[in-house]
Amino acid sequence: MANAVARPRGINGLVARSAAVFAPRARNLQGLLFCLPLIFLFIAFVVYPLYFEVTQALDRYTYEVLFADPIYVQTIVNTLTYVGVAVNVKLILALLLSGILQSDSRSVRFLSAIFLLPWAIPVLPGILSIRWMLSSQWGIMNLIMEDIGVGTVHWLASRWMAIGALITFHIWKYLPFWTVIFLAARRGIPRELYEAAAIDGAGPFQNFRFITFPMLKGIYLICSLLSMVFTLGDFTNVWLLTGGAPGDSTHVLATLAYRYTFLMGKIDWGVGVFATALPVTLLFIFILIKKIK
């Protein structure tokens, strides 16, 4: 055939076929040698720590020790309270405030700019400011309390008052962000729906119940799941504001795992605390991915 390629014969043909077979393997071996440092780093810093954590997390003895520790049980209650109250109050307020900030008046725009300031302030100065304000010796909150006759209040020396301060700071800090998210979602609702409802005589409450909330319930659920995942792993706010004090009574799972692992040297306990929140976090992420699809 005219298009057929003539194959070399004899010893030359054998050498050519051997080169054609071994050349790709030589290139693969060369590539593998170049990748060896990266593979070693991946095994050392990803595969082995993951294997170590899984083996420690599946150790029954770790959980027997943890549940025998009253601080661990108290920390679970703190975490559920912190996540449940902070996230739900914050998102309900964000949903309501987004309706107020939807107005196009200049005064509302000016207030919106001021309202966003807490979100723009870095976390560390914000928390230090709150700590100074709540100081029992020179804090402005105690000056106000003394002026109205209540007397000195030890804001961060009581478990539930410290957790209340933590929840308040969380809402103050992150409320503007979620309000902006809901405000953007509100502005995507077609105006024709509100005009048709106005013709039928619907008021603000009916508009919210039958138009606004049904149109926003999807984004509300996604924001709730995202905020719960973020808050469940919150370490910075809790550690900087209370550090687990007083008497290790205000820890959440993230700070308690840090205490066990880095302050007490109990790595298996720290892994066990992290593993406590893992099923809930994975459930939230699974629902979130399913909703986004």
Side-chain angles (χ1 to χ4, degrees), residues 97 100-118 176 179-180 183:
L97 285 172
I100 298 174
L101 299 181
Q102 197 177 11
S103 173
D104 292 329
S105 67
R106 289 185 178 180
S107 58
V108 172
R109 289 183 180 179
F110 177 72
L111 290 175
S112 301
I114 297 177
F115 178 70
L116 290 174
L117 283 178
T179 303
V180 170
L183 181 60

Side-chain angles (χ1 to χ4, degrees), residues 17-271:
R17 286 195 294 273
S18 300
V21 171
F22 288 108
R25 294 183 181 177
R27 286 197 296 271
N28 291 339
L29 180 61
Q30 189 178 18
L32 182 63
L33 290 174
F34 278 114
C35 291
L36 274 180
L38 181 62
I39 293 173
F40 174 76
L41 292 175
F42 182 76
I43 293 173
F45 294 104
V46 177
V47 176
Y48 176 71
L50 187 62
Y51 168 76
F52 179 79
E53 288 190 9
V54 170
T55 53
Q56 293 295 326
L58 296 178
D59 188 358
R60 183 179 174 183
Y61 174 74
T62 301
Y63 299 100
E64 291 178 356
V65 173
L66 286 178
F67 278 101
D69 185 359
I71 295 177
Y72 174 72
V73 179
Q74 189 173 255
T75 297
I76 292 178
V77 176
N78 293 345
T79 306
L80 292 175
T81 305
Y82 178 47
V83 174
V85 176
V87 171
N88 287 297
V89 173
K90 175 184 64 182
L91 290 182
I92 290 173
L93 289 176
L95 183 62
L96 297 177
L97 285 172
S98 64
I100 298 174
L101 299 181
Q102 197 177 11
S103 173
D104 292 329
S105 67
R106 289 185 178 180
S107 58
V108 172
R109 289 183 180 179
F110 177 72
L111 290 175
S112 301
I114 297 177
F115 178 70
L116 290 174
L117 283 178
W119 182 41
I121 295 175
V123 174
L124 183 59
I127 290 181
L128 292 179
S129 301
I130 295 294
R131 285 189 62 130
W132 290 337
M133 290 172 65
L134 298 179
S135 172
S136 57
Q137 296 178 346
W138 56 77
I140 189 173
M141 294 301 294
N142 268 336
L143 291 177
I144 296 173
M145 289 295 172
E146 290 173 1
D147 288 342
I148 62 177
V150 176
T152 302
V153 179
H154 300 285
W155 300 98
L156 299 178
S158 163
R159 176 192 176 194
W160 289 112
M161 292 189 73
I163 291 176
L166 180 63
I167 291 172
T168 304
F169 174 79
H170 178 94
I171 294 172
W172 172 80
K173 173 67 181 169
Y174 300 105
L175 178 62
F177 174 79
W178 298 106
T179 303
V180 170
I181 298 293
F182 288 137
L183 181 60
R186 275 179 181 270
R187 291 186 174 172
I189 299 175
R191 290 288 175 187
E192 293 80 6
L193 295 177
Y194 293 107
E195 293 172 359
I199 293 173
D200 293 336
F205 179 75
Q206 286 79 14
N207 284 340
F208 179 81
R209 180 182 176 187
F210 296 109
I211 299 176
T212 305
F213 190 72
M215 297 293 287
L216 295 180
K217 63 181 181 182
I219 191 71
Y220 188 89
L221 179 61
I222 290 174
C223 289
S224 298
L225 293 171
L226 276 175
S227 184
M228 283 185 180
V229 171
F230 295 154
T231 310
L232 196 58
D234 186 13
F235 171 84
T236 307
N237 293 342
V238 183
W239 190 255
L240 292 178
L241 187 62
T242 70
D248 291 321
S249 63
T250 59
H251 278 295
V252 294
L253 290 175
T255 58
L256 186 66
Y258 176 83
R259 175 179 178 268
Y260 282 154
T261 304
F262 297 103
L263 301 183
M264 298 176 61
K266 300 287 187 183
I267 298 177
D268 50 343
W269 293 11
V271 172

Side-chain angles (χ1 to χ4, degrees), residues 1-8:
M1 294 179 65
N3 295 330
V5 179
R7 294 183 177 179

